[in-house]
Amino acid sequence: DAGVTQSPTHLIKTRGQQVTLRCSPKSGHDTVSWYQQALGQGPQFIFQYYEEEERQRGNFPDRFSGHQFPNYSSELNVNALLLGDSALYLCASSLNSDLDFYEQYFGPGTRLTVT
Amino acid sequence: QKEVEQNSGPLSVPEGAIASLNCTYSDRGSQSFFWYRQYSGKSPELIMFIYSNGDKEDGRFTAQLNKASQYVSLLIRDSQPSDSATYLCAVGSPDSWGKLQFGAGTQVVVTP
């Protein structure tokens, strides 16, 4: 049973650049959520995708955007990178049902460093 | 602003002892409660979830929920050095459509 996968593992970008992170959900899951985790903090919710649409969004600027594909995989795009965007970006997958979609399983994460 | 609060630690626990971790939350409408374990440099791993008041046991882990007090806890029995990690409390609410609110985590250090 394949778990959540993310790519790339690590990424170094320069301020002002754009980045795309990718995620494939756990087999059987149809919902993907993205979180940002700064050092020493808990994950912060960015947004969630279900049926190829953004269903819920956290307090992140429009520089953060995403997409979900018909195969349930997802991308996170960040434009005009700032130094403060340096963090671990986590993808979590879940199954959309009454309560199950709260049970979220994380991928290994992408460590983004902005210089 | 919905909040989830945890003691940051570190919580030092002798090997074989019980580690007790606490978490409080501000949203009374919260219905789903999760504990994640995160090793340094790794991603969070779901270890327990609880939806109803009372205790839920899974191996050496016990989650306790008291919705009236807005309090959820995690007990780790017979603590092992491999339990040394940061434990994150996460809370879900019906009006949040799957958005989990996380605490900052409690670092646990199990000493031989």
Side-chain angles (χ1 to χ4, degrees):
Chain A
D1 183 17
V4 183
T5 60
Q6 291 186 245
S7 63
T9 305
H10 295 90
L11 207 50
I12 299 175
K13 290 287 188 177
T14 303
R15 273 181 303 175
Q17 286 188 317
Q18 178 265 343
V19 68
T20 297
L21 311 181
R22 295 176 176 82
C23 169
S24 290
K26 181 181 168 74
S27 178
H29 284 182
D30 56 8
T31 303
V32 172
S33 303
W34 287 92
Y35 291 81
Q36 179 196 67
Q37 187 177 25
L39 204 60
Q41 301 296 318
Q44 297 293 314
F45 178 82
I46 303 175
F47 42 52
Q48 183 181 84
Y49 277 85
Y50 171 66
E51 291 189 333
E52 303 180 48
E53 292 193 358
E54 183 183 291
R55 177 162 65 178
Q56 179 82 350
R57 189 178 182 92
N59 294 325
F60 280 80
D62 292 345
R63 297 187 297 110
F64 290 77
S65 63
H67 189 78
Q68 185 180 34
F69 299 94
N71 67 352
Y72 308 121
S73 67
S74 177
E75 288 182 348
L76 164 65
N77 300 294
V78 187
N79 295 323
L81 285 166
L82 303 174
L83 294 179
D85 294 331
S86 295
L88 179 66
Y89 287 85
L90 295 162
C91 168
S93 80
S94 53
L95 181 64
N96 183 57
S97 64
D98 285 345
L99 279 178
D100 282 351
F101 65 82
Y102 294 134
E103 292 178 30
Q104 299 182 10
Y105 297 86
F106 285 95
T110 295
R111 173 72 62 186
L112 173 64
T113 302
V114 182
T115 62
Chain B
Q1 175 75 10
K2 300 175 184 179
E3 293 183 350
V4 178
E5 301 286 343
Q6 297 181 253
N7 292 327
S8 62
L11 176 65
S12 184
V13 180
E15 185 174 357
I18 296 174
S20 179
L21 291 75
N22 303 319
C23 172
T24 59
Y25 59 94
S26 63
D27 182 8
R28 281 202 171 273
S30 301
Q31 292 188 356
S32 306
F33 307 87
F34 305 88
W35 285 99
Y36 287 83
R37 177 176 62 197
Q38 187 172 26
Y39 293 113
S40 180
K42 302 296 185 182
S43 65
E45 174 192 3
L46 180 62
I47 56 172
M48 287 288 287
F49 56 87
I50 185 167
Y51 301 144
S52 303
N53 278 329
D55 294 0
K56 179 181 178 182
E57 186 175 316
D58 184 0
R60 295 186 297 111
F61 298 104
T62 299
Q64 300 174 316
L65 174 61
N66 184 327
K67 289 185 180 179
S69 299
Q70 295 177 240
Y71 175 94
V72 58
S73 65
L74 178 70
L75 300 178
I76 308 173
R77 292 183 300 280
D78 188 24
S79 295
Q80 302 296 311
S82 60
D83 295 326
S84 297
T86 296
Y87 290 80
L88 297 162
C89 173
V91 175
S93 303
D95 61 347
S96 296
W97 284 93
K99 167 187 173 181
L100 292 182
Q101 192 79 26
F102 281 84
T106 297
Q107 183 185 6
V108 172
V109 179
V110 180
T111 55

